[in-house]
Amino acid sequence: KGVDYGYVFNPSYYADKYADLKSAFGYNDTKLFEHFTKYGMNEGRQASANFNLQSYKNNNVGLIKEYGNNNPLYYEHYCRFGYNEGRKAV
């Protein structure tokens, strides 16, 4: 999608936070990122100390009308706009 997910994804953080992922993928950045984009965002998993989906929703309630329960759109919004706008994400 041309989105730099570096604002919401840190592979080491993601592996260390979720034992199931660390067990399955170790610290393989590619496999962890693939899991994050295919499943983790939909599940609302936290992949960076700097971004928590529920906190972002709570601190930016106006986005809920636009994105509803489409979790990946919140991650994308933060990467494209929220970070540079200084929106609270944790």
Side-chain angles (χ1 to χ4, degrees), residues 5-54:
Y5 287 109
Y7 296 115
V8 297
F9 179 78
N10 176 302
S12 296
Y13 180 93
Y14 196 48
D16 288 339
K17 183 157 180 77
Y18 300 102
D20 61 325
L21 300 180
K22 191 172 188 179
S23 176
F25 308 123
Y27 290 104
N28 183 309
D29 295 1
T30 302
K31 290 189 181 284
L32 289 165
F33 184 69
E34 183 176 286
H35 180 277
F36 178 66
T37 57
K38 286 186 177 179
Y39 308 105
M41 287 191 288
N42 284 318
E43 296 168 357
R45 292 196 188 211
Q46 185 171 352
S48 167
N50 302 318
F51 183 86
N52 177 281
L53 176 63
Q54 194 57 52

